[in-house]
Amino acid sequence: GTIKVTNASGAISDEVKITQSKTVDGLTIASYPEGKLPQEAGSYLATLKSNARWVAQVQEGARYWITLDPASGEKENMEFLIKTSDNNTYYERTGSISIKSGKIVKTISITQLGIDPVLEVKEGAEGISVPFTGGDVTVTVYCNMEYKVEYPSWVSCNNTNGSSGTNKHVFSIGENESVQELSSRIKFTT
């Protein structure tokens, strides 16, 4: 617009141009699920403020477990759902969501826990005592993932790895020809 300045008689005038700038693109992510999300599927509310149309996109490698509803919207305060599927692995996973409004891009990170590993010695946990003549002992282990078995050199085992489920490990101990008692640990590790 233009502002005209004149005196009372109207004989002298001058003009000054006045301009008001446009609204600056604005995007604020007011809330979203922070911290580590549980392993189970869920829906989590995210809130943003934008003065322009916005579009959200999940990074390519996370699209199979993160979805958005809706994934775009008009200006105003807006809520959308971040949905995660079950994480049926034993590992955390992290994905990102980019939200664009005008020229502004903001990114949020989503981390989801994996299944809690379980490893339990069912039979033989109280310890094993073997006579000096040696012998075979069986240890039963339950684990919900693969694991490794470590044991001392004077012991042998029918398998050094365990699979998910219940496994029986047979440990063979030869005769102890030493005057010293042998003692060690058998270790099961995921």
Side-chain angles (χ1 to χ4, degrees):
T2 303
I3 297 175
K4 280 189 176 185
V5 180
T6 58
N7 67 12
S9 67
I12 300 174
S13 81
D14 199 357
E15 293 184 1
V16 176
K17 184 176 180 179
I18 184 168
T19 306
Q20 185 178 15
S21 64
K22 69 175 187 164
T23 301
V24 176
D25 290 342
L27 174 63
T28 303
I29 300 169
S31 67
Y32 67 95
E34 296 184 67
K36 296 179 180 181
L37 303 180
Q39 172 270 325
E40 299 84 11
S43 293
Y44 306 93
L45 187 65
T47 306
L48 59 91
K49 296 176 184 176
S50 176
N51 62 2
R53 180 168 171 69
W54 62 272
V55 175
Q57 185 174 14
V58 177
Q59 82 178 68
E60 190 171 326
R63 291 180 189 155
Y64 72 96
W65 65 276
I66 298 175
T67 57
L68 307 174
D69 184 28
S72 64
E74 299 302 320
K75 67 181 179 181
E76 298 294 328
N77 296 346
M78 187 64 196
E79 295 179 340
F80 64 98
L81 289 177
I82 298 170
K83 297 179 181 181
T84 59
S85 63
D86 286 337
N87 183 357
N88 295 319
T89 71
Y90 298 98
Y91 308 100
E92 283 183 6
R93 57 187 178 186
T94 299
S96 63
I97 300 167
S98 295
I99 303 165
K100 182 177 181 183
S101 179
K103 294 181 180 182
I104 299 174
V105 177
K106 302 244 176 152
T107 301
I108 59 175
S109 182
I110 302 295
T111 299
Q112 185 182 32
L113 297 171
I115 298 170
D116 288 333
V118 175
L119 188 141
E120 182 181 359
V121 177
K122 297 277 194 181
E123 192 178 315
E126 64 284 345
I128 300 166
S129 188
V130 180
F132 77 92
T133 56
D136 289 346
V137 292
T138 301
V139 176
T140 304
V141 176
Y142 170 77
C143 191
N144 63 354
M145 62 189 303
E146 293 180 356
Y147 61 93
K148 294 183 180 199
V149 183
E150 298 174 34
Y151 47 89
S153 60
W154 48 274
V155 174
S156 62
C157 182
N158 64 331
N159 55 351
T160 58
N161 295 307
S163 58
S164 180
T166 301
N167 297 277
K168 291 191 180 288
H169 298 276
V170 178
F171 295 93
S172 298
I173 295 101
E175 184 176 346
N176 181 2
E177 296 176 355
S178 168
V179 292
Q180 298 292 320
E181 180 178 275
L182 297 175
S183 180
S184 190
R185 298 194 174 274
I186 297 171
K187 188 175 179 182
F188 304 92
T189 309
T190 58

